[in-house]
Amino acid sequence: MHDLFENERLGGRVQLGEQAVVLQGFAMSIASNVLAQVALIETIAPFRHMKTPGGFTMSVALTNCGAFGWTSDSRGYRYTSIDPITGKPWPDMPKEFLTLARAAANEAGFSDFVPDACLINRYVAGARLSLHQDKDELDFSAPIVSVSLGIPAIFQFGGLERTDPTRKVPLFHGDVVVWGGVDRLKYHGVLPIKQNSHSTTGEQRINLTFRKVSSR
Ligand code: MD6
Ligand code: FE
């Protein structure tokens, strides 16, 4: 997108549900800092394509930072404190990440969000995330904060049943989606990414989702 239009979206809000909102451009000013941190994180915990319990390999590559990291293999989905590839703890969550996630949650009406997990997704053209619920966390009272960087994506947001109708909303560099409360378990996904390029990430989209995994 042209910078001219980028500025017009800054500060915009798209309500996806009663307690789900897109904060347009919310992460814009810290975006390059976040990407620099991601570059450091991936030197410790590399991006990888995980296997789903159903035997498929995910088109999205992922890594994590924070006390807990989301992983998937033939036995199922779960959070672990150790990276199964390196055998070491996931890299620490940078302070700036915590500050950004807390500020976005607060802006969306969720005060006192303290994430203990940050899942980092990397998409290239063709990569997608099929409709799913985020339900591997123990604490559904905390929201999820999702930061989009680089090339755009079309986000799908549905209901509590997989077959419920979905709404499609574009997510651009710097957009932050926050959702929780009554919307916390709604089905959502990312349509196949179209080839594109962005000055900060090249031909990639990077998405960070902040969660509270432990129940205390
Ligand atoms: C993505 N995001 O935007 C994938 N989940 O790349 C998610 O799956 C997601 O954006 C829960 C809450 C917000 C999200
Ligand atoms: Fe999700």
Side-chain angles (χ1 to χ4, degrees):
M1 187 166 46
H2 195 278
D3 292 350
L4 209 63
F5 303 120
E6 220 165 51
N7 289 334
E8 283 185 15
R9 294 177 64 263
L10 256 182
R13 296 171 80 104
V14 179
Q15 207 71 36
L16 292 176
E18 217 177 307
Q19 293 185 281
V21 64
V22 182
L23 305 173
Q24 295 177 327
F26 190 88
M28 194 72 85
S29 61
I30 197 182
S32 53
N33 186 326
V34 171
L35 287 167
Q37 300 282 358
V38 170
L40 286 176
I41 289 165
E42 70 172 301
T43 66
I44 304 168
F47 282 102
R48 74 290 306 264
H49 292 273
M50 290 186 181
K51 287 250 182 354
T52 67
F56 294 97
T57 299
M58 294 178 68
S59 59
V60 175
L62 63 91
T63 184
N64 295 276
C65 66
F68 298 98
W70 186 88
T71 65
S72 173
D73 61 23
S74 57
R75 292 177 301 153
Y77 307 121
R78 65 194 159 277
Y79 284 96
T80 65
S81 51
I82 300 292
D83 176 349
I85 286 193
T86 64
K88 293 181 189 149
W90 299 103
D92 288 338
M93 193 183 303
K95 271 207 274 309
E96 299 90 330
F97 283 23
L98 201 64
T99 305
L100 169 62
R102 283 181 67 83
N106 204 58
E107 180 68 28
F110 300 95
S111 54
D112 273 315
F113 178 48
V114 185
D116 54 14
C118 173
L119 168 59
I120 307 171
N121 292 315
R122 186 181 69 192
Y123 298 75
V124 294
R128 63 193 290 268
L129 200 58
S130 53
L131 276 182
H132 66 278
Q133 292 172 295
D134 288 21
K135 57 177 186 189
D136 301 322
E137 302 75 23
L138 293 175
D139 187 353
F140 293 146
S141 68
I144 294 181
V145 171
S146 165
V147 178
S148 292
L149 299 169
I151 69 174
I154 305 289
F155 194 63
Q156 261 185 312
F157 185 76
L160 291 172
E161 306 286 339
R162 186 183 292 278
T163 50
D164 286 342
T166 61
R167 175 169 171 189
K168 294 173 181 58
V169 59
L171 295 178
F172 295 99
H173 179 73
D175 287 355
V176 179
V177 186
V178 181
W179 81 52
V182 296
D183 293 319
R184 179 63 178 73
L185 291 174
K186 294 225 167 134
Y187 274 90
H188 58 280
V190 176
L191 295 183
I193 298 280
K194 287 212 173 85
Q195 181 139 32
N196 208 326
S197 120
H198 191 273
S199 57
T200 61
T201 60
E203 300 196 341
Q204 299 176 2
R205 171 175 185 259
I206 301 288
N207 170 261
L208 293 83
T209 56
F210 295 93
R211 299 116 190 274
K212 182 159 173 10
V213 170
S214 65
S215 56
R216 44 159 292 154

